[in-house]
Amino acid sequence: MKHRGEALVAQNPDYSLRFFEDKDENEVIKLVTSTFEAVSRDQWLWKYARNPHFDRSLVFVAEDNGRIIGCMHYLPRELKITGSLAIKGALGADFAVDPDYRQRGVGSSILKFSRSSKALEKKGIAVTYGFVDYNRAGFYKRNIDSVIMPLSIAVFRKFLDTSPIEKRLTSLDKPTNEGNKRVVGDLRETNMSVVFRLKGIPIFTLNIRDGNISVDKRETSDPDLTIGGDPYFLESVFVGSKGVLGLIVGMLRGKIRIRGGLRKILDFYKVTKTNRHHSSRED
Amino acid sequence: MPLRDLMSDQATCRIRTYRRGDEEELVRLFNDAHKDYAGFTLRTPEFWLWLCRNRPGVHEEGIFIAETDDEVLGYAVVSDFGDVLEFCYKANQTGEENVLKLLEAIEGYVKNAGAGSITLNAPADDPIIRSACSRLGYAESSPSYALQLSVVDLPGFIREILLSKLKKMRTHSGEEILLKIGQPSTTDYDYIALRIRNNDLWVERKRTENPDFTIQTDKGTLISYISRNSSFVRGILTGKIKVSPFWKLSRALTLFSLLELDAPWYFPLGDYG
């Protein structure tokens, strides 16, 4: 590890790790916005450049021959850790690695550098925290001894129209990838109309006819199946990991209500399940 | 006035949108409404203005305030994408009616903004928001994200927690406790000494020679215990926590119970990102 000007630099055989400098701004924005679909340039500028608590010395970058290949931002915040106590914390955000450099330990190196540089300690920060997918928790545990905090949060959602669901369902009959090609094949053998009466979502009908899927924003009078109940439970059965047993448990517990023939239920389950297996492989 | 009419009057709150200068009152309401929770950033007016009003996708027309002539009873901040970034209200006998009015205002705004859905989160033990959301046809789910916490400065972290419980620490007055932190396979330990004298507490990264008792564990186990992910007894039974001399076990248990982060963890969607 050596000092270059004011910036502490850690050398790696393939790239170097250092603190963010003003000249990095455009490259970091480019990396972050290309990694996270939901983050725009304006959002980066709001979150960091226009943030009254932003501290540039708490942004870490990995660089290879002048190219920014990874970055991690920390935002100082007063984090409440008990009912009466708030301590100096730092929220980790927009942790990105260039796709060309993934699976090479760049992310781990940046995280470890954020600790070995002592930059957080020098600012009096006692803890870092961040919002992560559950399946990424092990990465943070291995690198920075993090724990997953038990949360006391309920999420409530209401769809005002069926457009987002329609977009998702109607893309199933487009043979854009291997998973969908199989679905399209199965769809050719399936003809049915399914009415969805789900909590938080306006009623709609899914029509599968001759290999095509369409969504009707009304309730069909004589559907093959009517599916009602908790949309999140339903999603966990049809596109998640719960499976047939989950479907039966869901019906017994009243989480899902299905009216229609058993054969049709199994046909519908088969189509959506085929998609799940292939989607996972695509990931 | 009959009680029924009185309650009806109290329920009559009006909804208006944000006006410059409201932030002081909103921040006070937010911090008070969440005083029993942890896991979020404590609000100040400066922080709130940056986090909510100046956030891309948020307009003053999307910040709704429920109030009577006398007081602010609740507010909500919703983005053009349908995310409710903050939602809080004063819990009183009219709480649910105010919550319903705020939710209806949010729905009208989100429809006009063209977003297809509304997402709101709330403390899991809040019966008023749950009931209001159910009445308005919201579906409930668990969060799809987790909050990971990592301790940078372990002595500082321990000091802050114990200082906030100094009154309860008096039972340890006069004691000197040594925390020996490291993996079981290592011989390279971090030492943290704790000393309590009357109303003062010292927590230092150093090794003391004659502590009253020593607790040996690794950082991960200690943080898991503090964060209530595992229990002290389990740590003892699996050998991940060792106390010497062993007969000081109950003293170690008392100390560990003080370190536990006991408030429920909740953060509004605005804190995310």
Side-chain angles (χ1 to χ4, degrees):
Chain A
M1 218 173 274
K2 65 179 183 181
H3 289 276
R4 193 170 70 191
E6 283 300 302
L8 183 68
V9 179
Q11 290 293 345
N12 186 288
D14 299 324
Y15 49 84
S16 57
L17 299 156
R18 62 172 174 78
F19 296 123
F20 174 88
E21 295 169 19
D22 287 347
K23 66 178 171 63
D24 300 325
E25 188 168 295
N26 281 333
E27 272 215 71
V28 166
I29 292 174
K30 201 170 124 192
L31 178 60
V32 169
T33 53
S34 64
T35 305
F36 305 105
E37 204 179 304
V39 181
S40 64
R41 180 182 177 83
D42 189 39
Q43 271 164 326
W44 191 94
L45 291 171
W46 161 74
K47 201 188 280 186
Y48 303 107
R50 299 201 290 266
N51 181 343
H53 301 292
F54 181 47
D55 184 336
R56 283 165 191 265
S57 69
L58 298 181
V59 181
F60 306 91
V61 298
E63 179 187 19
D64 183 23
N65 286 321
R67 176 180 171 190
I68 301 293
I69 59 162
C71 62
M72 175 73 182
H73 307 63
Y74 282 106
L75 288 164
R77 288 191 174 181
E78 286 291 311
L79 176 69
K80 264 192 92 184
I81 60 166
T82 69
S84 58
L85 174 65
I87 62 171
K88 277 186 99 169
L91 169 66
D94 298 323
F95 183 17
V97 174
D98 187 307
D100 294 343
Y101 289 82
R102 286 181 194 160
Q103 308 300 322
R104 289 164 60 175
V106 176
S108 298
S109 300
I110 295 173
L111 273 187
K112 285 174 181 163
F113 176 61
S114 73
R115 296 299 192 273
S116 63
S117 69
K118 304 281 180 196
L120 294 157
E121 279 177 85
K122 281 177 200 160
K123 298 287 177 182
I125 286 162
V127 296
T128 63
Y129 66 108
F131 307 109
V132 295
D133 288 336
Y134 280 100
N135 57 12
R136 294 287 291 158
F139 172 80
Y140 292 92
K141 186 176 181 182
R142 279 194 304 280
N143 287 294
I144 51 171
D145 270 332
S146 72
V147 292
I148 292 297
M149 294 302 296
L151 295 178
S152 171
I153 295 179
V155 179
F156 301 95
R157 197 159 198 210
K158 182 175 183 177
F159 282 87
L160 301 176
D161 66 59
T162 53
S163 307
I165 300 162
E166 193 175 334
K167 199 173 160 189
R168 190 165 149 194
L169 288 171
T170 51
S171 68
L172 279 178
D173 60 6
K174 311 287 182 295
T176 49
N177 59 34
E178 283 307 309
N180 272 17
K181 280 176 192 163
R182 277 288 297 275
V183 173
V184 171
D186 286 337
L187 287 176
R188 286 201 188 104
E189 298 157 21
T190 312
N191 282 305
M192 66 169 76
S193 60
V194 186
V195 169
F196 287 89
R197 303 173 68 93
L198 303 171
K199 187 150 197 207
I201 302 175
I203 294 172
F204 67 96
T205 305
L206 180 75
N207 294 305
I208 306 172
R209 292 275 178 270
D210 306 321
N212 295 312
I213 292 180
S214 62
V215 172
D216 190 342
K217 289 180 181 172
R218 292 164 303 176
E219 185 171 1
T220 300
S221 57
D222 189 22
D224 296 296
L225 285 178
T226 302
I227 300 178
D230 179 343
Y232 298 102
F233 197 90
L234 190 75
E235 187 176 28
S236 69
V237 169
F238 285 102
V239 291
S241 56
K242 281 202 162 81
V244 176
L245 192 62
L247 180 66
I248 296 165
V249 170
M251 289 171 76
L252 290 173
R253 286 172 59 197
K255 290 259 184 193
I256 302 175
R257 295 180 301 278
I258 302 184
R259 213 169 56 221
L262 183 63
R263 176 70 189 270
K264 290 285 181 189
I265 295 174
L266 292 175
D267 281 351
F268 185 67
Y269 178 82
K270 188 180 149 198
V271 167
T272 55
K273 225 49 190 173
T274 307
N275 180 54
R276 180 180 78 83
H277 290 314
H278 285 270
S279 297
S280 306
R281 208 178 296 159
E282 292 290 306
D283 293 342
Chain B
M1 189 184 285
L3 182 62
R4 189 182 171 82
D5 291 344
L6 183 68
M7 287 186 69
S8 168
D9 276 350
Q10 284 172 339
T12 310
C13 77
R14 57 180 174 269
I15 303 288
R16 66 166 173 89
T17 53
Y18 170 86
R19 286 194 293 256
R20 304 237 161 181
D22 280 334
E23 56 273 11
E24 296 272 350
E25 186 65 25
L26 302 188
V27 162
R28 211 172 5 251
L29 178 60
F30 179 94
N31 289 335
D32 189 53
H34 299 102
K35 64 179 186 298
D36 296 330
Y37 295 93
F40 60 88
T41 308
L42 211 56
R43 285 353 185 208
T44 62
E46 182 195 34
F47 180 74
W48 186 90
L49 285 171
W50 167 76
L51 186 77
C52 292
R53 201 199 67 189
N54 299 337
R55 191 186 195 105
V58 173
H59 304 281
E60 293 183 356
E61 296 75 26
I63 303 173
F64 298 100
I65 295 167
E67 65 176 10
T68 60
D69 288 341
D70 304 324
E71 58 179 342
V72 170
L73 297 172
Y75 76 95
V77 181
V78 60
S79 77
D80 289 349
F81 314 110
D83 293 325
V84 181
L85 303 169
E86 281 187 5
F87 190 103
C88 70
Y89 63 96
K90 212 167 249 181
N92 53 24
Q93 71 269 42
T94 63
E96 186 163 339
E97 293 309 311
N98 301 334
V99 166
L100 282 167
K101 284 185 178 178
L102 282 169
L103 287 173
E104 282 161 2
I106 287 170
E107 195 164 323
Y109 180 83
V110 173
K111 271 182 188 160
N112 277 338
S117 64
I118 302 168
T119 307
L120 161 81
N121 79 8
D125 59 355
D126 187 324
I128 291 178
I129 291 184
R130 175 169 286 113
S131 167
C133 283
S134 177
R135 282 168 69 181
L136 293 178
Y138 282 71
E140 182 178 342
S141 68
S142 302
S144 56
Y145 39 79
L147 191 151
Q148 56 90 4
L149 182 85
S150 167
V151 177
V152 177
D153 172 13
L154 189 56
F157 184 57
I158 291 172
R159 184 189 307 114
E160 293 277 5
I161 297 172
L162 293 181
L163 273 175
S164 72
K165 297 177 179 177
L166 204 54
K167 279 184 188 164
K168 292 179 184 169
M169 285 292 293
R170 283 193 188 136
T171 58
H172 287 277
S173 193
E175 274 181 340
E176 201 159 301
I177 303 154
L178 186 64
L179 295 178
K180 192 175 168 185
I181 311 289
Q183 294 295 335
S185 54
T186 188
T187 52
D188 185 21
Y189 292 101
D190 269 341
Y191 291 94
I192 300 170
L194 278 77
R195 195 153 45 96
I196 301 112
R197 291 273 183 277
N198 302 321
N199 285 328
D200 288 322
L201 168 77
W202 288 267
V203 181
E204 296 165 278
R205 200 185 285 271
K206 71 169 191 180
R207 183 176 186 172
T208 48
E209 290 308 317
N210 294 304
D212 289 283
F213 63 94
T214 301
I215 301 170
Q216 183 182 334
T217 187
D218 61 274
K219 190 177 171 186
T221 301
L222 182 59
I223 305 302
S224 283
Y225 177 78
I226 292 174
S227 61
R228 293 184 298 146
N229 276 297
S230 63
S231 76
F232 180 79
V233 173
R234 188 183 164 88
I236 290 288
L237 292 175
T238 55
K240 287 190 164 184
I241 300 173
K242 290 175 184 160
V243 178
S244 68
F246 191 70
W247 50 271
K248 288 277 188 179
L249 197 62
S250 68
R251 302 299 297 145
L253 178 60
T254 314
L255 176 74
F256 266 56
S257 67
L258 290 172
L259 284 170
E260 205 175 291
L261 302 178
D262 46 7
W265 277 51
Y266 161 76
F267 54 85
L269 286 176
D271 279 34
Y272 192 102

